[in-house]
Amino acid sequence: MKTGLRITAFAAALAGAFGTAYGVGQTFDPVVAERRPAHEERHPSEAAESEHGGTAAHPPGGLQISEGGYTLDLDTPAVTAGERAELRFTVRDADGRSVDEYRREHDKELHLIVASRDLVTYRHLHPERAPDGTWSTPVDLPRAGGYRVFADFTPDRPGAENLTLGADLAASGPYSPRELPPPSTTARVDGYDVKLTGTLTPGRASELRLTVTRDGDPVTDLQPYLGAYGHLVALRAGDLAYLHVHPEGEPGDGTTRPGPHVSFTATAPSSGSYRLFLDFKHDGVVRTAAFTVEAGKAAPEEPASPGRTESPGHSGGHGH
Ligand SMILES: [Cu+2]
């Protein structure tokens, strides 16, 4: 009787120990990686993220035209630089049918980002969806060259997750690629100065804080834009991997102030250079400030070149 009790207690303790170890293995990738047989191939993106202590098994967004059973079908793969054009596309499911139910995120069913391969030109658009599921938006790209189109959306279907699908777009005309602007913690746009504090850390969520001033005065009456006081998109130089960035707090939550600081949490999938685009709204106008950031390196102190994008990022095509 007494022995039986002891064995039961021992078994329970053993189960507890294994349960704990199993739980730890589930939480931290390195533990899982060590336990895997050496011959077992790991997904390249998973390996890269594990090295940096990340836990997400997903590759960065925007690198694939098809993912999770959904495909970005771009009807307009080429436009002419300097001419206004209609960009049309359809999101299709695994059966080829157009998707016409979406969950709204940041006030919209779908966010469309268009960025030049050299990360100089940037557009954040909100296309209209026709009854047949076709999305369309006017676009005017000032420079010839290669562009990437990103559709960021969440199908309103069971089990569906947020997706960012990417497709190539060409703008015809004489092409002269530009170098990535040097890293900078300041950007100037239409008389506003935006200062960036915080660093992008490979594989780990970190805070990025942007501070908006005009003529040296803190801007304390930013207007809500897409359900936040700022909307930040980060793209990796070299392949334009699209990072998911989450705003800290939202208008009306009782603690988030309408400037001058706007905070985000971002995770870089690797070291390297990234271009950050901050959309903010003030005096009824949405403006974009852009920064080059090196993930894994301390931000430089010297004021660098203006971080303004090529042209207004919010001209035409989307109503805010
Ligand atoms: Cu958007």
Side-chain angles (χ1 to χ4, degrees):
M1 184 73 188
K2 203 173 178 185
T3 310
L5 185 67
R6 272 197 190 151
I7 287 170
T8 307
F10 179 64
L14 213 87
F18 277 113
T20 306
Y22 183 70
V24 168
Q26 292 264 300
T27 311
F28 299 102
D29 264 355
V31 177
V32 173
E34 279 169 21
R35 287 179 174 187
R36 265 188 228 192
H39 64 263
E40 195 174 308
E41 285 284 326
R42 285 195 292 162
H43 190 279
S45 69
E46 188 187 348
E49 287 183 359
S50 295
E51 280 165 23
H52 296 294
T55 55
H58 290 289
L63 299 177
Q64 302 183 90
I65 202 165
S66 187
E67 185 185 345
Y70 295 92
T71 299
L72 173 57
D73 183 0
L74 187 60
D75 295 340
T76 323
V79 297
T80 303
E83 286 180 16
R84 194 175 166 90
E86 185 87 348
L87 204 61
R88 296 164 60 84
F89 62 95
T90 306
V91 177
R92 299 193 187 281
D93 63 16
D95 298 323
R97 287 188 299 241
S98 68
V99 176
D100 55 6
E101 58 277 341
Y102 296 85
R103 270 174 234 153
R104 293 177 85 84
E105 297 206 358
H106 298 298
D107 287 353
K108 300 287 175 184
E109 288 187 338
L110 185 145
H111 301 265
L112 193 78
I113 304 295
V114 181
S116 60
R117 280 277 171 197
D118 61 10
L119 292 170
V120 171
T121 303
Y122 174 85
R123 297 284 186 276
H124 181 163
L125 307 167
H126 297 108
E128 299 277 322
R129 182 163 55 85
D132 70 352
T134 304
W135 293 90
S136 63
T137 177
V139 68
D140 190 346
L141 301 173
R143 303 166 52 240
Y147 287 78
R148 190 77 173 164
V149 175
F150 303 92
D152 183 340
F153 62 93
T154 306
D156 191 10
R157 292 186 178 180
E161 295 180 359
N162 175 256
L163 283 172
T164 303
L165 302 179
D168 284 340
L169 171 70
S172 62
Y175 178 44
S176 53
R178 292 199 203 158
E179 282 184 20
L180 188 69
S184 171
T185 54
T186 56
R188 196 173 172 76
V189 52
D190 292 352
Y192 293 82
D193 289 297
V194 183
K195 183 166 174 52
L196 169 71
T197 47
T199 51
L200 267 181
T201 310
R204 204 164 61 227
S206 53
E207 188 190 3
L208 297 172
R209 190 167 81 156
L210 296 121
T211 305
V212 184
T213 58
R214 185 164 61 172
D215 302 325
D217 297 325
V219 175
T220 57
D221 57 346
L222 288 174
Q223 295 165 306
Y225 168 59
L226 303 172
Y229 289 120
H231 195 85
L232 187 69
V233 167
L235 300 174
R236 180 165 62 187
D239 66 359
L240 273 59
Y242 182 96
L243 276 62
H244 278 281
V245 181
H246 303 282
E248 292 290 332
E250 55 187 48
D253 65 6
T255 55
T256 304
R257 314 288 310 160
H261 309 298
V262 191
S263 294
F264 300 87
T265 301
T267 306
S270 69
S271 58
S273 299
Y274 292 79
R275 190 79 171 149
L276 271 48
F277 301 93
L278 173 75
D279 297 326
F280 64 97
K281 190 174 182 182
H282 190 243
D283 283 350
V285 180
V286 177
R287 298 178 172 86
T288 305
F291 307 80
T292 298
V293 171
E294 292 284 320
K297 284 187 192 168
E301 284 304 312
E302 83 281 6
S305 61
R308 198 199 152 122
T309 43
E310 172 85 355
S311 54
H314 293 267
S315 58
H318 69 308
H320 285 304

